[in-house]
Amino acid sequence: KDTSLIFCDCEAPVSIHDRFRALGAATAAARQFGLTGSIMVEGTSPALGGALRIASELKLRAIEIEPGTSDVFAATVTLATAALTPLINRAAALLRRTGLRDKAAVGMATALFERTIQEYGHSGKQSWVWHVRAPEAEQIEAEVAAVAEPFRPLFRQLILAGFEDFEKHPEVALQLRGTAPAR
């Protein structure tokens, strides 16, 4: 007889799924992840079908991911939520350092992040502010220097991540790393 086990709204590590699969059970997971009306679903048949039916009965949009990738999905949710919030807070703090009042600083930081997100949703990689035109390394260095420790190294790494992810302006990235050839 087919045995299915569906983990609902809990964090069941891949090792737990593997253990039940080794015993002959099909496993699936279904859990909310922060987007109203959506649920993440992953697993193997026939348990996956059961999880999809649960989502349908609850009138939820099922976001089906490959089996064994729930940690990657969870990391994505963390990056887009818990890891992003401190960046928004840091941007607001920098704006407060320029003399803006708290409410104005928070509003402007929020608006900047929202605009960036909307532009990325519309144009993807091409929305990156330096997609076409390379920035001046000296200006970026001045901005990095303006950021207080201990955030400064992370700020530099976030900037460098853009050059790496989008494979643009390697000469600027080399300068920012301090590895550019002498002129």
Side-chain angles (χ1 to χ4, degrees):
K1 181 178 177 179
D2 288 331
T3 303
S4 292
L5 179 60
I6 303 171
F7 296 92
C8 295
D9 266 341
C10 64
E11 300 288 331
V14 173
S15 62
I16 298 295
H17 286 262
D18 289 345
R19 188 176 309 152
F20 280 103
R21 286 183 189 135
L23 296 171
T27 66
R31 70 172 172 269
Q32 296 177 353
F33 59 93
L35 290 182
T36 304
S38 295
I39 191 167
M40 183 280 302
V41 177
E42 68 138 342
T44 56
S45 293
L48 177 61
L52 291 169
R53 277 190 300 284
I54 290 171
S56 177
E57 289 171 10
L58 294 172
K59 298 188 180 348
L60 296 172
R61 178 175 170 237
I63 308 298
E64 186 178 341
I65 63 171
E66 295 290 323
T69 63
S70 63
D71 289 340
V72 175
F73 189 86
T76 303
V77 172
T78 297
L79 178 62
T81 58
L84 184 60
T85 305
L87 293 178
I88 299 167
N89 185 60
R90 297 282 179 143
L94 288 168
L95 288 167
R96 283 190 289 275
R97 282 184 45 207
T98 70
L100 291 179
R101 293 185 184 267
D102 187 57
K103 187 172 182 173
V106 169
M108 182 174 287
T110 302
L112 288 167
F113 276 85
E114 286 174 349
R115 188 183 97 211
T116 300
I117 290 165
Q118 289 171 351
E119 289 176 357
Y120 185 83
H122 181 263
S123 302
K125 293 178 179 183
Q126 289 78 20
S127 68
W128 187 51
V129 69
W130 298 318
H131 182 76
V132 175
R133 186 169 177 226
E136 295 293 327
E138 295 78 18
Q139 177 60 40
I140 293 174
E141 287 295 356
E143 294 170 17
V144 169
V147 172
E149 292 290 348
F151 184 59
R152 189 176 296 150
L154 177 58
F155 184 63
R156 180 184 299 279
Q157 283 306 116
L158 289 169
I159 292 168
L160 288 169
F163 296 113
E164 293 167 13
D165 287 359
F166 304 131
E167 298 176 341
K168 295 283 188 173
H169 318 301
E171 66 287 352
V172 176
L174 287 172
Q175 284 182 279
L176 293 173
R177 284 191 185 94
T179 56
R183 293 180 182 191

